[in-house]
Amino acid sequence: METEIPSPKKSLVLAGGGMRVAYQAGVVLALEEAGLRFDHVDGTSGGIFNTAMLASGLRAKQMAGNWRTLKLSGFVSFTRFRNYLNPFKINGFADADGIKNKVFPHLGINISKINANTDFQASFNVCNFLEKSVEAIPGEIVKQDHLLAGVSLPIFMPALQIDDTWYTDAVWIKDANLLEAVRQGSTDIWLVWAIGNTPTFLRGSFSQYVHMIEMSANGGLLEEYKQIELIKKLRKLEGDDTPIRLFVIKSRIPLLLDPDFFFNKINARELINIGYSNAKDYLKAVPEGGEVLDESLTKNREPNYILSFRSCFSGSIKMENETVGVGFHLYFRFCEFGASHVLEIYSSLEDRKKGEEQPCFSHTFSKTKSAFQTKLVIRGKVIRGVELLDFDAETTMTNPIELLLGLNFKRLNFKLRRENDKLIGQGILTQSMKDRIGAMFYAQVKSIFPQRIGIKKKIKLIEKFIAHEI
């Protein structure tokens, strides 16, 4: 009789990243579709939200749906007015009431369910201010105040006192607790990383506050790499060749920051779609022995300029046996790296009858130019029910001025095919004038350079976007 080889114990480590961690819901959905199941899930800083949702019994689609419909005003909860009269003695510019009373309930975070969860071991990292160390609180004993303290960034939110000890966000020590995963006995550690790691030191107090977080988070991660390598060497001396493999899913281009989320320059849907697509790409070529533990793992490719905008189409698709009302949501990131350019496209398909939305992946595009317009065809894959389908989405662009004013992307010819290229659904989707103007209002150009970005530069980037790879 053959001895059954046990599968490696797996940990899912959800690092911080502010409200950008909506990205992680898309990653978790892709991992769930791939059949990956985790024995341990660990959350730090913003990653606590998603860890708590999973430990509350939510599946990935529920998580994504809750993020899409979350009102960001829940994150804003002002303290008493008189506290602002003395800013040098204020505990924090906001308090945790909004997160406790609005964000947690909407996301489906339930302490009783977390304490009773037996599907996997959960751990939540907080900074124990008395010991100046990271404390991983097990899910079975975690309190709501631990979760609130774990997402309370100093200056912005006050530390919380729990059982005579002050606790706050652990990000200043580490933003991902890989060693807790090792302590749990995991040999496969899947890290989802949303914090930036870019080479340019930007101006401004907010940018530099973010840089401090990046330095702490990435520096802490590098130290954990060294400790994991040492643990592996010590085990080998004792005759234990059990591997510890790390897999890292992140965005190649830095994710936009929380203020961009607040001002609708990017939204939860788009972050989810980016995370899902990134994870699908990573799962195509997972390194068999895990990643090489060095500083390159979390580095982003930093554009000189990045143009980002969305397009939201709606209408009906005639399927084989029914007509389905749908929404098709597109998000573009056009990045300039000196003389080269990269276009990233992300999307999701919404079935409005079922009230379900599915991110798409494996996007490609082609463009053809005629005398007065450029035709853009976006292709990709989407899972509908249990079936993997291919889609084509065709629209037209005219000139940079009209695109800037929201006069392009009026209609989209949408087709769904099975993998054998059999057409099973098609329809004309439209984007309302309100959505087109709104999309261009929320479009933005970001740069690493301190100079103000004027209209000429925006038009220049749009020209390059229209002409890209024709």
Side-chain angles (χ1 to χ4, degrees):
M1 180 178 179
E2 291 185 4
T3 303
E4 185 176 342
I5 300 174
S7 59
K9 189 172 182 180
K10 298 182 183 67
S11 280
L12 176 63
V13 177
L14 300 176
M19 292 177 294
R20 289 173 291 179
V21 295
Y23 170 91
Q24 295 173 346
V27 174
V28 171
L29 177 58
L31 297 178
E32 190 177 286
E33 288 175 356
L36 282 166
R37 298 292 178 266
F38 296 94
D39 307 283
H40 167 236
V41 182
D42 181 86
T44 306
S45 195
I48 283 175
F49 290 113
N50 292 314
T51 303
M53 292 166 78
L54 288 168
S56 297
L58 275 68
R59 300 294 296 271
K61 278 197 173 183
Q62 294 172 292
M63 292 171 61
N66 290 352
W67 274 113
R68 288 188 199 102
T69 54
L70 177 66
K71 292 181 179 178
L72 298 185
S73 58
F75 285 100
V76 181
S77 180
F78 295 107
T79 184
R80 289 180 295 181
F81 176 76
R82 68 182 185 186
N83 292 335
Y84 296 107
L85 299 177
N86 194 342
F88 293 104
K89 290 188 177 181
I90 198 169
N91 287 327
F93 287 106
D95 59 33
D97 289 351
I99 293 176
K100 178 173 67 176
N101 298 324
K102 296 178 181 179
V103 176
F104 278 3
H106 182 88
L107 292 180
I109 294 171
N110 184 298
I111 290 295
S112 297
K113 290 181 179 179
I114 293 171
N115 295 154
N117 168 52
T118 57
D119 291 338
F120 56 85
Q121 179 62 49
S123 53
F124 302 89
N125 299 296
V126 289
C127 169
N128 181 320
F129 189 73
L130 176 66
E131 299 175 357
K132 307 297 187 293
S133 65
V134 172
E135 186 175 333
I137 311 293
E140 56 265 25
I141 64 169
V142 75
K143 300 177 182 179
Q144 181 172 255
D145 279 354
H146 287 125
L147 303 186
L148 293 170
V151 296
S152 294
L153 267 177
I155 299 178
F156 290 101
M157 289 174 63
L160 274 73
Q161 191 171 12
I162 307 169
D163 301 329
D164 298 324
T165 300
W166 288 96
Y167 289 93
T168 187
D169 197 313
V171 69
W172 298 110
I173 305 172
K174 62 173 71 174
D175 203 31
N177 199 345
L178 304 184
L179 291 178
E180 177 61 21
V182 174
R183 193 189 70 79
Q184 293 277 348
S186 294
T187 56
D188 283 2
I189 304 171
W190 289 74
L191 171 63
V192 187
W193 191 257
I195 287 279
N197 185 354
T198 55
T200 304
F201 198 87
L202 300 176
R203 297 182 181 184
S205 56
F206 179 76
S207 291
Q208 294 186 15
Y209 185 84
V210 171
H211 287 335
M212 287 189 286
I213 292 175
E214 291 180 359
M215 287 186 285
S216 296
N218 287 285
L221 201 60
L222 286 173
E223 289 303 311
E224 295 227 312
Y225 294 164
K226 294 175 183 176
Q227 291 180 63
I228 287 172
E229 292 289 12
L230 180 60
I231 289 168
K232 288 161 68 175
K233 288 178 182 177
L234 292 173
R235 284 182 178 178
K236 195 166 185 179
L237 289 174
E238 296 172 354
D240 183 357
D241 285 330
T242 304
I244 301 174
R245 304 188 300 177
L246 178 65
F247 307 97
V248 180
I249 298 174
K250 70 177 196 302
S251 174
R252 290 173 299 178
I253 307 297
L255 298 174
L256 295 177
L257 300 175
D258 285 358
D260 297 300
F261 199 172
F262 264 116
F263 292 108
N264 202 23
K265 302 298 184 180
I266 191 169
N267 58 37
R269 164 181 286 121
E270 289 146 9
L271 287 164
I272 290 163
N273 293 349
I274 295 171
Y276 181 83
S277 185
N278 289 169
K280 284 289 191 181
D281 287 343
Y282 189 83
L283 288 166
K284 290 177 186 175
V286 178
E288 187 176 345
E291 302 283 2
V292 176
L293 302 185
D294 62 23
E295 72 284 348
S296 67
L297 274 183
T298 60
K299 282 186 177 178
N300 301 119
R301 191 178 180 198
E302 184 180 58
N304 292 341
Y305 293 93
I306 178 168
L307 164 70
S308 58
F309 63 97
R310 66 175 63 98
S311 296
C312 300
F313 296 86
S314 60
S316 298
I317 298 175
K318 292 182 180 179
M319 303 292 288
E320 293 171 311
N321 301 313
E322 60 179 334
T323 299
V324 181
V326 302
F328 185 61
H329 306 277
L330 280 165
Y331 180 67
F332 300 88
R333 295 202 295 183
F334 183 65
C335 306
E336 181 177 278
F337 303 90
S340 65
H341 299 83
V342 171
L343 174 59
E344 294 185 339
I345 301 174
Y346 303 97
S347 68
S348 56
L349 183 63
E350 180 186 3
D351 186 325
R352 291 181 170 165
K353 181 179 180 181
K354 294 181 179 179
E356 296 178 355
E357 187 167 340
Q358 177 66 33
C360 308
F361 62 104
S362 293
H363 296 86
T364 60
F365 70 92
S366 61
K367 295 179 182 178
T368 54
K369 188 175 182 180
S370 62
F372 301 106
Q373 65 184 25
T374 298
K375 183 186 293 183
L376 170 66
V377 180
I378 299 165
R379 296 181 176 85
K381 296 182 181 295
V382 63
I383 297 171
R384 187 169 186 269
V386 295
E387 193 173 17
L388 177 62
L389 302 175
D390 295 315
F391 71 81
D392 298 343
E394 180 185 304
T395 188
T396 57
M397 302 177 287
T398 52
N399 60 66
I401 300 298
E402 289 191 352
L403 200 152
L404 184 66
L405 295 175
L407 300 177
N408 280 209
F409 297 117
K410 298 176 184 178
R411 292 158 57 90
L412 188 85
N413 186 4
F414 192 85
K415 297 178 182 179
L416 280 173
R417 293 184 171 87
R418 291 199 171 96
E419 288 190 290
N420 59 9
D421 209 34
K422 179 185 177 183
L423 182 66
I424 63 166
Q426 63 180 327
I428 301 296
L429 309 182
T430 60
Q431 187 176 203
S432 69
M433 175 62 80
K434 179 182 176 182
D435 281 341
R436 280 183 276 137
I437 293 175
M440 295 318 299
F441 176 78
Y442 291 118
Q444 69 171 345
V445 176
K446 303 273 281 189
S447 173
I448 61 171
F449 303 119
Q451 295 86 355
R452 183 178 175 274
I453 301 169
I455 190 70
K456 286 185 179 180
K457 182 60 184 179
K458 290 181 181 178
I459 292 174
K460 198 79 170 176
L461 280 172
I462 294 171
E463 283 178 346
K464 292 177 181 178
F465 164 75
I466 293 173
H468 182 59
E469 292 195 4
I470 290 179

